[in-house]
Amino acid sequence: MHQPALFMLLGLLLSVSAMAETTEDALDPQRQAELETLLYQDCGSCHGMTLRGGLGPALPRDRMEGFSVEALAHIIQYGIPGSAMPAWKALLSDDEARWLAEHLRTDNRLQTLQQD
Ligand code: HEC
């Protein structure tokens, strides 16, 4: 039976191609660490340090997946006019906003609001 090995190879290929689509490569590891700190501290000052919500709504991964990376990056860059959600364009490059958007949809520490 060679099927399990075939599936593993397929899985590997899929994860490699998924990785190639992210902007992870565009930013150096130190900047990525800074952005992660920014997300949980600066964004966290409104959305909660664990992103469970506060002045701003909770940002769990399962809800963030409902947005495209482009939509999230746009919200981050331009804010939400008429609300307390500020624009981050002066502080973040396009790649950095995309990194945060991808992080919210994939590496988000808060998977779902139901999580303990
Ligand atoms: C000063 C407070 C504040 C800060 C800081 C802040 N936000 Fe927000 N954010 C809000 C509020 C308030 C809303 C809801 C706006 C509305 O639709 O009424 C929001 C909405 C959002 C949304 C849309 C959520 C949804 O379900 O519609 C996302 C995504 C988001 N913020 C991400 C971020 C990220 C990423 C950062 C950091 C780069 C950040 N926010 C920083 C206040 C803040």
Side-chain angles (χ1 to χ4, degrees), residues 44 46-59 110 113:
C46 285
H47 292 280
M49 302 287 276
T50 55
L51 305 184
R52 285 176 179 277
L55 171 62
L59 305 173
L110 184 65
L113 268 188

Side-chain angles (χ1 to χ4, degrees), residues 26-38 91-93 96-97 99-100:
L27 301 176
D28 68 55
Q30 195 198 328
R31 186 57 181 156
Q32 291 184 37
E34 286 168 7
L35 289 176
E36 189 164 10
T37 303
L38 176 119
L91 294 169
L92 300 173
S93 71
E96 290 167 350
W99 187 92
L100 285 168

Side-chain angles (χ1 to χ4, degrees), residues 38-39 42-43 45-47 55-57 59 63-64 67 72 75-76 80 83-86 88 92 100 104:
L38 176 119
L39 178 62
D42 297 61
C43 312
S45 67
C46 285
H47 292 280
L55 171 62
L59 305 173
R63 218 159 51 74
M64 294 298 98
F67 293 90
L72 285 176
I75 289 173
I76 293 166
I80 299 180
S83 86
M85 173 63 190
W88 292 82
L92 300 173
L100 285 168
L104 283 169

